[in-house]
């Protein structure tokens, strides 16, 4: 592959001859409301982010995925946009945004905007116009019916946040389609004028110097509600190709599509090198496989490591050379990685590091969700009034009405509510974890006195320094960027073991993902004694060698 120069936003040390810049970069997601508050109103903001850029540069990330900061009435915390070209005053100004792009670039960090184009807010001028006048050119930007669909017909669809997906508009009396909250109106992607307006907006941001887009629920834009088709509609890839041609061609941007419907069969359609509609998708097989068949995320199943390993192995194989993987444990919609997959109690630090090791040494672009790099844990909320998330509050109402016990719902929310990831970033042991001088919009996790950046980062064996080393290793070794993947010990209930190979280099990764000491089994892993790449300590692969709870290492074979 030719040398990829990349936009000037890009870290020069991320430019490798063997891959695109975003294939060696590590992404970091910022949920602005909860990251850093600069003005004491209790809500994180863009100047707050700018103040933490040195911290992120030290971690070694290549780009920031910035959750929405656009103008928004905040029904879904900014995922309901009323102006794509304006900044929500609670987050700052467009000057702050321009400064963020420039200051990040000065530290070789790209800014990846959240592109939320499956719907707009009901406050968007397009919708105001559509609602006011059936003859408006914006009328057809949305999806209408003159009456709700009959029960049981294909268009009788349920919204993701609960309730029917059709709502009667109070102004014009017609029914509009929405896959999420009633204030988030689905856009009509069959309308070429709407598509052109989105492309123009994307180009506007690219010209400002952003490094790319994370595309919110992008697998829904090809929906055909009258046919009952929601995800992965027949025109989806035509729209994505068209979008690519109109905005991304000739630019070295990174794009990552959120695609809950992605499977190993259809994922290459998005990211195969010859198509590259997007650089990669976020796929959720490793998340949803542990949800209840009926109650979904509200009744999570325990993690079954052989099943989880099998999912990773399938994805690694399916996209090797055929596309590109994204690698993540958490985001703003998911519980904290260490609480879900590790042990947030006695083994918090070790399990956070082990999770990082197994994720970051696979093939793909790893994403860190804010706070994961210090091993932040779930919120630990015990009352419904501690929650802020529209999804959690809606389902609380719905499930209680259906007869679910309050305590059962709260147990589910404690495990899987989106607010687990949305409590403020814990910077220090100061009041409100150093996140704000005011009252935070959502409570700080009670554990901030002993779990915060200041403390963790000062510890050479802390979580932060472990992530730092993992990010650096990806830069140093082509086998981590591009090597093929082979799962070892697939049936072992606690050990995650795999090897990566490229040319003469073979890397072996082994982690004990349990709270008990585990002996290495007799296996076909070569017996060697080598220094762990991450800690420098000698480790051996001899059968019978005991791994401490959540011990993990990576060695050369
Ligand atoms: C995406 C976002 C989520 C949002 C949803 C609907 O899944 O990640 O936060 O609530 O879209 O807006
Ligand atoms: Ca603020």
């Amino acid at each position: 592959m030719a040398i990829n120069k990349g936009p000037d936003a890009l870290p020069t040390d991320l430019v490798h001859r063997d891959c695109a810049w975003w294939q060696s970069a590590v992404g970091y997601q910022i949920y602005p409301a909860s990251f850093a508050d600069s003005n004491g109103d209790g809500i994180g903001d863009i100047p707050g982010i700018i103040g933490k850029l040195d911290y992120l540069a030290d971690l070694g990330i290549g780009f920031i995925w910035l959750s929405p900061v656009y103008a928004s009435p905040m029904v879904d915390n900014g995922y309901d946009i009323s102006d794509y070209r304006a900044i929500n005053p609670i987050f700052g100004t467009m000057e702050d945004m321009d400064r963020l792009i420039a200051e990040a670039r000065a530290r070789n960090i790209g800014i990846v905007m959240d592109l939320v184009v499956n719907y707009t807010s009901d406050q968007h001028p397009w919708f105001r116009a559509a609602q006011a006048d059936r003859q408006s050119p914006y009328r057809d930007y949305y999806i209408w019916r003159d009456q709700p669909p009959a029960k049981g017909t294909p268009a009788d669809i349920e919204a993701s946040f609960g309730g029917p997906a059709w709502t009667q508009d109070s102004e014009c009396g017609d029914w509009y389609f929405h896959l999420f909250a009633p204030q988030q109106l689905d856009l009509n992607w069959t309308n070429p004028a709407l598509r052109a307006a989105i492309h123009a907006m994307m180009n506007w941001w690219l010209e400002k110097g952003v490094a790319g887009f994370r595309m919110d629920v992008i697998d829904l834009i090809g929906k055909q509600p009258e046919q009952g088709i929601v995800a992965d509609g027949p025109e989806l890839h035509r729209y994505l190709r068209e979008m690519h041609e109109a905005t991304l061609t000739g630019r070295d941007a990174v794009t990552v599509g959120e695609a809950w419907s992605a499977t190993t069969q259809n994922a290459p359609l998005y990211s195969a090198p010859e198509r590259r509609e997007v650089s990669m998708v976020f796929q959720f097989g490793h998340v949803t496989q542990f949800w209840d068949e009926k109650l979904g995320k509200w009744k999570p199943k325990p993690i079954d490591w052989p099943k989880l390993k099998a999912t990773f192995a399938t994805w690694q194989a399916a996209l090797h050379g055929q596309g590109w993987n994204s690698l993540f444990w958490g985001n703003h919609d998911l519980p904290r990685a260490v609480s879900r997959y590790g042990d947030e109690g006695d083994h918090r630090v070790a399990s956070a590091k082990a999770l990082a090791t197994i994720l970051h040494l696979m093939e793909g672009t790893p994403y860190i969700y804010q706070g994961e790099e210090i091993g932040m844990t779930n919120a630990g909320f015990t009352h419904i009034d501690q929650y802020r998330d529209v999804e959690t509050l809606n389902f609380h109402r719905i499930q209680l009405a259906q007869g679910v016990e309050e305590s059962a719902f709260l147990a589910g929310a404690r495990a899987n509510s989106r607010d687990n990831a949305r409590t403020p970033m814990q910077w220090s042991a100061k009041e409100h974890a150093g996140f704000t001088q005011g009252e935070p919009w959502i409570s700080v996790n009670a554990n901030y006195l002993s779990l915060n950046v200041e403390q963790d980062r000062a510890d050479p064996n802390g979580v932060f320094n472990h992530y730092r080393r993992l990010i650096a290793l990806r830069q140093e070794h082509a086998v981590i960027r591009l090597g093929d993947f082979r799962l070892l010990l697939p049936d072992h209930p606690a050990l995650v073991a795999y090897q990566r190979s490229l040319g003469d280099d073979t890397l072996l990764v082994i982690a004990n993902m349990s709270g008990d000491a585990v002996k290495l089994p007799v296996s076909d892993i070569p017996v060697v004694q080598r220094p762990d790449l991450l800690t420098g300590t000698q480790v051996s692969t001899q059968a019978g060698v005991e791994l401490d709870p959540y011990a993990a290492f990576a060695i050369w074979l």
Side-chain angles (χ1 to χ4, degrees), residues 36-45 90:
D37 176 23
S38 70
N39 63 353
D41 67 356
I43 304 171
D45 46 49
I90 66 169

Side-chain angles (χ1 to χ4, degrees), residues 74-133:
M74 300 294 274
V75 169
D76 189 20
N77 273 0
Y79 281 90
D80 47 320
I81 296 172
S82 54
D83 186 347
Y84 290 109
R85 302 186 197 207
I87 299 296
N88 187 334
I90 66 169
F91 293 133
T93 61
M94 193 55 83
E95 288 67 49
D96 293 329
M97 187 66 215
D98 289 335
R99 202 153 55 84
L100 173 62
I101 296 169
E103 292 277 334
R105 169 178 299 194
R107 291 163 179 81
N108 291 319
I109 295 173
I111 297 291
V112 170
M113 296 301 276
D114 215 314
L115 185 78
V116 190
V117 292
N118 182 58
Y119 46 79
T120 70
S121 157
D122 59 351
Q123 305 301 309
H124 196 290
W126 293 344
F127 183 67
R128 297 303 197 102
Q131 172 182 55
D133 176 6

Side-chain angles (χ1 to χ4, degrees), residues 7 202-207 244 246-254:
M202 292 172 70
N203 282 323
W204 188 83
W205 278 104
L206 287 164
E207 276 146 30
H244 190 111
T247 65
L248 299 163
T249 303
R251 306 193 206 246
D252 201 3
V254 62

Side-chain angles (χ1 to χ4, degrees), residues 211-278:
F213 299 101
R214 175 267 185 182
M215 302 178 177
D216 192 62
V217 292
I218 202 67
D219 58 339
L220 303 184
I221 63 172
K223 70 208 147 227
Q224 297 187 345
E226 294 300 333
Q227 275 68 54
I229 298 172
V230 173
D232 204 22
E235 301 286 358
L236 168 63
H237 293 286
R238 184 165 74 83
Y239 298 154
L240 286 175
R241 271 197 301 279
E242 181 191 64
M243 175 192 279
H244 190 111
E245 267 158 41
T247 65
L248 299 163
T249 303
R251 306 193 206 246
D252 201 3
V254 62
T255 48
V256 48
E258 184 195 24
W260 287 81
S261 68
T263 62
T264 47
Q265 284 80 45
N266 70 24
L269 292 175
Y270 297 88
S271 68
E274 69 281 5
R275 298 173 62 99
R276 209 140 267 170
E277 293 169 0
V278 291

